[in-house]
Amino acid sequence: MRIDIIAGARPNFMKIAPIIEAIRNLQNANSEQRTTNHDINYRLIHTGQHYDKKMSADFFEQLGIPEPDFNLDARSGTQAEQTARIMMRYEKLLLEAPADLCLVVGDVTSTMACSIVAKKLCMKVAHVEAGIRSYDLNMPEEINRMVTDSITDYFFTTSEVANNNLRKSGIPNERIFFVGNTMIDTLLKNRRRFEAPPIWETANLQKGQYLVMTMHRPANVDEEQKLKQFMDAILQNVEGLPVVFPVHPRTAKILDRLGTEANNLHLIGPLPYFEFNYLVENSKAVLTDSGGITEETTVLGIPCLTLRDNTERPETITVGTNELVGTNPKNIAPALKQLFSGNWKKGTIPEKWDGKTGKRIVKVLEELRE
Ligand code: UD1
């Protein structure tokens, strides 16, 4: 079976790494046994949605992801421009060199764009991290999830909530595969390799004595005044502890204009995977509007304050260490007060977030081709 594995933006890279590793292990085992009966061949297609070294190449290097076979070089643009470029270039590639199955991960523009192209060329589509829903159509990611799942053949899911969402939309059980979370495979595999970034020394950070913050959602950062209110509320309520903020390119442009500064605020560029997770694992808490980070903090047992009104990952709240603080800067003070009172929930680890998801996915793929 010929599989195209699609990756385009930063949060995709940690999700594909364990799947590629599991396919390669299978290929090696088959070549030792001199059998090619169960071979899965893959091509890695990078759409080029994220292209900066710090948003892409650093992750390939650290996570040992092989060089992509093709790079569609889509780069930045409006949602429609980016989607159109990815679709046109992936379609051209498939017309010249077809594949049997297109495997997409997550919820970024590349996920939706490639699944549409593949399905229209009558290929099968597999979606890893299928079925999660925020029901917030103001987020491009929710539209990407809904469109992708509406044309997916094989649904690989991270939770029972996702399974139920899919069942409610009429997907039969035979097409839903509850396999766990590939992002957590990557986290657990690399945990011992996390390493302190330079800011650890320069800001004299101490374990449990600083906070990490990330923010890049258009709804939070595109309105300058709101971002300013968020920053002010956070800095005023962290009891003087350092706040380390690795800034996404979208947010950097706006923060530059605002000229935000404070003695305890450390604005730095996007960090590679090992360095970012070192900071998270040793922090007092994380403030974020990312979805993936809420999963990582849950597994690392670090309190997470989500600066959104909803989440497509409810198990990070019901089982894990995450709480929704919302998008009103007024909610920051009471949430941080609770954190500093020492009463933040401890959380446990969601079912099947055990580091074996990549293997489970490849086992299903092997059975599909039989
Ligand atoms: C995308 C994903 C989001 C994910 C985020 C993580 C979609 C709809 N959104 O949002 O789900 O959480 O990535 O990073 O796919 N830019 C650079 N260098 C890069 C990449 C982007 O400078 O390597 C700039 C772009 O020029 C643009 C901005 O960052 O101005 C946003 O990039 P874009 O890919 O449109 O979406 P993200 O906000 O990164």
Side-chain angles (χ1 to χ4, degrees), residues 184-252:
I184 302 308
D185 285 14
T186 296
L187 189 77
L188 297 177
K189 178 179 171 192
N190 292 291
R191 198 167 181 177
R192 269 174 295 170
R193 299 167 71 198
F194 294 168
E195 60 189 13
I199 190 72
W200 186 266
E201 293 282 324
T202 49
N204 193 20
L205 300 177
Q206 311 286 330
K207 187 172 172 58
Q209 295 299 314
Y210 64 93
L211 290 92
V212 176
M213 162 171 186
T214 82
M215 235 184 176
H216 73 276
R217 301 256 165 236
N220 279 341
V221 303
D222 285 0
E223 256 180 74
E224 284 184 21
Q225 281 318 306
K226 192 161 164 202
L227 180 59
K228 184 165 176 6
Q229 287 168 8
F230 259 126
M231 298 299 301
D232 289 347
I234 291 167
L235 293 166
Q236 281 160 19
N237 288 285
V238 290
E239 304 193 350
L241 288 188
V243 175
V244 184
F245 185 175
V247 185
H248 183 281
R250 172 190 286 281
T251 317

Side-chain angles (χ1 to χ4, degrees), residues 16 74 110 142 160 187 269 355:
I16 59 160
S110 306
E142 183 66 3
E160 194 53 52
L187 189 77

Side-chain angles (χ1 to χ4, degrees), residues 10-11 49-52 55 76 79 82 107-109 140-141 144 216 248-250 253:
R10 184 171 60 178
Q49 180 180 340
H50 283 175
Y51 44 88
D52 285 354
M55 301 292 286
S76 306
Q79 289 286 313
Q82 227 173 25
D107 56 16
V108 302
T109 301
E141 292 82 0
N144 296 338
H216 73 276
H248 183 281
R250 172 190 286 281
K253 290 176 200 160

Side-chain angles (χ1 to χ4, degrees), residues 15 19 33 39 63 66 77 81 88 92 116 141 159 161 163 208 226 265 301 310 330:
K15 294 174 192 167
I19 303 173
Q33 290 164 16
D39 255 5
L63 302 180
E81 285 166 349
M88 282 160 42
K92 185 165 185 285
I116 296 175
E141 292 82 0
S159 68
V161 177
N163 298 340
K226 192 161 164 202
L265 174 64
N310 49 54
K330 289 200 179 111

Side-chain angles (χ1 to χ4, degrees), residues 14-184:
M14 40 296 236
K15 294 174 192 167
I16 59 160
I19 303 173
I20 292 178
E21 187 188 337
I23 294 179
R24 289 182 140 192
N25 287 342
L26 176 75
Q27 288 171 336
N28 289 339
N30 285 348
S31 80
E32 273 164 28
Q33 290 164 16
R34 295 175 192 281
T35 163
T36 50
N37 284 352
H38 299 283
D39 255 5
I40 293 178
N41 293 307
Y42 75 92
R43 303 188 293 201
L44 175 56
I45 319 276
H46 192 323
T47 65
Q49 180 180 340
H50 283 175
Y51 44 88
D52 285 354
K53 181 174 179 300
K54 287 183 170 177
M55 301 292 286
S56 176
D58 282 351
F59 289 80
F60 274 68
E61 200 181 302
Q62 289 196 334
L63 302 180
I65 305 171
E67 278 289 303
D69 297 286
F70 298 92
N71 192 320
L72 306 179
D73 201 23
R75 298 202 162 226
S76 306
T78 65
Q79 289 286 313
E81 285 166 349
Q82 227 173 25
T83 307
R85 274 200 293 272
I86 298 168
M87 287 183 70
M88 282 160 42
R89 293 174 190 176
Y90 185 44
E91 181 184 53
K92 185 165 185 285
L93 172 68
L94 283 179
L95 290 173
E96 285 163 9
D100 304 307
L101 181 131
C102 173
L103 183 143
V104 294
V105 298
D107 56 16
V108 302
T109 301
S110 306
T111 310
M112 175 188 72
C114 291
S115 58
I116 296 175
V117 172
K119 197 68 200 163
K120 288 201 168 186
L121 289 174
C122 300
M123 284 165 63
K124 297 285 187 196
V125 173
H127 184 198
V128 173
E129 205 185 89
I132 61 175
R133 294 286 183 272
S134 67
Y135 300 104
D136 176 358
L137 289 173
N138 291 318
M139 287 173 64
E141 292 82 0
E142 183 66 3
I143 300 172
N144 296 338
R145 290 181 200 114
M146 291 171 72
V147 173
T148 304
D149 282 345
S150 71
I151 52 176
T152 288
D153 297 279
Y154 309 116
F155 300 83
F156 292 106
T157 61
T158 50
S159 68
E160 194 53 52
V161 177
N163 298 340
N164 280 330
N165 290 339
L166 291 168
R167 288 184 200 117
K168 272 189 272 173
S169 70
I171 307 295
N173 272 327
E174 308 84 80
R175 285 162 57 200
I176 303 172
F177 303 94
F178 178 26
V179 287
N181 193 327
T182 56
M183 208 167 173
I184 302 308

